Amino acid sequence: MALRVQKYGGTSVADIECINNVADRVQKASDQGDKVVVVLSAMSGVTDSLIGLARQASETPDKRELDVLLATGEQTTAALLAMILKSRGYKAKSFLGFQAGIKTDKTSGKARILDIDGENIQQTLEDGYIAVVAGFQGADADGAITTLGRGGSDTSAVAIASSLKADVCEIFTDVDGVYTTDPRICNNARKINKITYEEMLEMAILGAKVLQIRSVEFAKKYNVPIHVRSSFNEEEGTMVVNESSDMESVIVSGITLDMNEARITLKRVPDQPGVSAKIFTPLAKAEISVDMIIQNTRSHGETDLTFTVTKDDFERAKEISQKVAREIGAPEILTAEEIAKVSVIGLGMKSHSGVAATMFQALASENINIRLISTSEIRISCIILAKYAELAVRTLHSAFGLDQEK
Ligand code: ADP
Ligand code: ASP
Ligand code: MG
């Protein structure tokens, strides 16, 4: 008998027929004697349309009330699944985030889970029930409803799995597992059987939305085995686990694409100690996180300073930068929103050279100009023009020998 946490994403609960399919799977696990906690997303498109409604209600929706609104998407699916399971004669009970003991900080819209009091769920399982938990939500210390950021149901599931010491956290989605790149962009993408937390974390950070970043951080920290798999077939998916000796030794394991960044360049910044702090401190105070930063020194004591932020933060970052530029005497600001970040990821890069050269040559062979480059021990990222994004992904996928054999 195993304890399984099963999370189903938006497309897997898109309508009653889909929720009935979910019920079939849950029922199967339960019939095998497993204890099951189900974590659900909202029906696909619902979170977006709730955000749309909020924007109609107010240009700048109050963050607390927005969380109350967004949490209803997951409340709906949790109730529907519990109803279906009960009507089939199973013992099932739905839980909102706070009822499942999910305690978060107060950052509305992207709250972090601080602690889970799993007692309620534990007792429910011991009483022979299937627990159905609304994903993506918790409550802060004052009891206010919070949400965990887009894609946050993954994190709800991993956190619950960790608190219950579940045998596995299964993430059911609309693809068969984690692929070498987004299978919707490259039809030569290959399914990866096993991937390390470290590589999966880089992939998530760099744009592969199949798992929310925080869910992987959580799984890595608390050693929760994740199985990413399709809710539409019975295939084995991808295990996200610690590095082990039976893993394929590849230099590059995946390519990612992130279309959600924008670039800001402050031209002719005085080349003096303290100017970078003057630029980045107000951005940090505004809770804007900066991704890439490049400084090019020009002659005559001036430098150009370029950085990227997410598109959501772009307008605010631009306003702050314009203000700082005036204060420090930088005469010009350039911005670009039509950019894409392509990245090559692999643990093998720690011990192999030449990956950057192969990446740059492959992009050059398609005449794709690289605007910015950044690296870590296990990845290289390039900013290019958005219109070349998909071509770049496919080109790099072949250049690193990742294409599946046909
Ligand atoms: P869910 O609604 O189930 O949470 P998401 O849309 O959040 O699903 O994540 C699944 C999607 O992630 C896939 O449909 C796929 O397009 C995208 N994706 C991006 N990169 C990858 C990758 N490397 N492997 C698998 N899927 C990926
Ligand atoms: N419904 C939320 C979203 O669309 C959370 C999730 O699906 O994981 O982002
Ligand atoms: Mg998701």
Side-chain angles (χ1 to χ4, degrees):
M1 192 180 79
L3 171 52
R4 293 159 74 161
V5 173
Q6 301 193 326
K7 178 258 171 178
Y8 294 87
T11 37
S12 309
V13 292
D15 53 29
I16 292 293
E17 193 187 335
C18 290
I19 301 178
N20 265 300
N21 287 338
V22 168
D24 293 345
R25 280 184 187 270
V26 173
Q27 190 177 323
K28 198 169 150 198
S30 173
D31 289 348
Q32 277 172 15
D34 291 341
K35 288 187 172 166
V36 193
V37 179
V38 190
V39 177
L40 296 180
S41 285
M43 293 176 168
S44 60
V46 165
T47 307
D48 286 332
S49 59
L50 290 170
I51 292 173
L53 277 176
R55 292 220 174 104
Q56 286 175 45
S58 157
E59 256 176 45
T60 47
D62 179 82
K63 287 184 171 172
R64 179 187 188 279
E65 304 313 329
L66 186 60
D67 272 357
V68 174
L69 178 70
L70 295 191
T72 62
E74 274 70 10
Q75 176 163 353
T76 306
T77 48
L80 289 171
L81 178 66
M83 262 175 217
I84 291 175
L85 288 167
K86 283 180 182 172
S87 69
R88 294 185 186 186
Y90 286 79
K91 284 168 84 177
K93 208 186 262 183
S94 68
F95 293 84
L96 298 182
F98 77 89
Q99 293 169 321
I102 299 179
K103 299 179 178 157
T104 74
D105 65 15
K106 292 177 181 294
T107 331
S108 310
K110 47 180 173 186
R112 296 188 84 95
I113 296 179
L114 299 175
D115 185 29
I116 298 193
D117 175 359
E119 212 182 299
N120 225 348
I121 300 279
Q122 192 87 54
Q123 191 56 52
T124 303
L125 293 174
E126 275 166 29
D127 294 343
Y129 283 83
I130 297 163
V132 183
V133 182
F136 179 55
Q137 54 177 274
D140 69 16
D142 297 328
I145 291 173
T146 51
T147 63
L148 309 180
R150 298 309 302 267
S153 301
D154 296 332
T155 303
S156 311
V158 174
I160 290 171
S162 151
S163 84
L164 297 174
K165 301 196 170 39
D167 297 287
V168 65
C169 179
E170 293 175 295
I171 303 285
F172 286 92
T173 183
D174 55 3
V175 282
D176 288 353
V178 179
Y179 279 71
T180 45
T181 194
D182 189 342
R184 294 186 200 286
I185 294 178
C186 175
N187 51 23
N188 286 324
R190 265 192 296 127
K191 190 174 84 188
I192 301 170
N193 293 328
K194 261 190 186 180
I195 187 167
T196 61
Y197 293 123
E198 213 175 343
E199 286 167 304
M200 190 63 238
L201 187 57
E202 287 283 345
M203 285 183 78
I205 291 170
L206 296 167
K209 68 168 186 162
V210 59
L211 286 175
Q212 199 202 29
I213 301 168
R214 283 187 194 156
S215 71
V216 190
E217 284 172 349
F218 224 103
K220 183 169 182 249
K221 189 164 169 194
Y222 298 104
N223 245 314
V224 181
I226 300 183
H227 186 182
V228 181
R229 57 193 309 190
S230 169
S231 62
F232 300 101
N233 62 45
E234 296 295 326
E235 300 288 305
E236 288 287 302
T238 302
M239 289 305 301
V240 188
V241 286
N242 273 317
E243 193 172 2
S244 64
S245 52
D246 62 338
M247 279 181 167
E248 253 185 284
S249 68
V250 289
I251 300 171
V252 166
S253 50
I255 314 285
T256 56
L257 173 62
D258 188 348
M259 304 288 286
N260 193 31
E261 291 200 5
R263 180 171 64 92
I264 297 179
T265 302
L266 279 78
K267 302 280 281 182
R268 299 177 44 208
V269 172
D271 194 6
Q272 290 159 4
V275 277
S276 296
K278 281 194 180 125
I279 297 167
F280 293 110
T281 307
L283 290 169
K285 281 200 179 128
E287 289 185 12
I288 294 174
S289 44
V290 171
D291 180 22
M292 291 175 161
I293 303 176
I294 311 277
Q295 179 175 313
N296 310 359
T297 304
R298 301 159 67 112
S299 47
H300 315 301
E302 290 176 336
T303 73
D304 290 345
L305 210 141
T306 300
F307 58 92
T308 62
V309 295
T310 63
K311 285 201 165 85
D312 284 347
D313 287 335
F314 174 66
E315 284 303 330
R316 283 191 310 138
K318 192 166 113 183
E319 268 170 39
I320 292 171
S321 305
Q322 279 163 338
K323 189 163 168 272
V324 176
R326 280 194 296 275
E327 284 163 15
I328 60 176
E332 196 183 350
I333 285 201
L334 300 178
T335 58
E337 282 188 89
E338 298 303 308
I339 60 167
K341 180 166 76 177
V342 277
S343 308
V344 163
I345 296 145
L347 276 185
M349 270 185 226
K350 283 186 184 171
S351 49
H352 285 80
S353 55
V355 175
T358 307
M359 181 175 193
F360 304 153
Q361 268 159 16
L363 294 174
S365 72
E366 292 292 342
N367 247 330
I368 301 172
N369 201 11
I370 301 169
R371 306 296 168 112
L372 294 174
I373 300 167
S374 76
T375 62
S376 81
E377 236 187 349
I378 66 164
R379 59 110 178 165
I380 305 170
S381 302
C382 294
I383 295 282
I384 59 171
L385 283 184
K387 64 180 176 185
Y388 298 121
E390 297 198 355
L391 173 64
V393 168
R394 288 192 284 266
T395 305
L396 293 171
H397 198 265
S398 325
F400 285 101
L402 296 174
D403 285 354
Q404 60 172 310
E405 285 161 23
K406 288 223 159 143

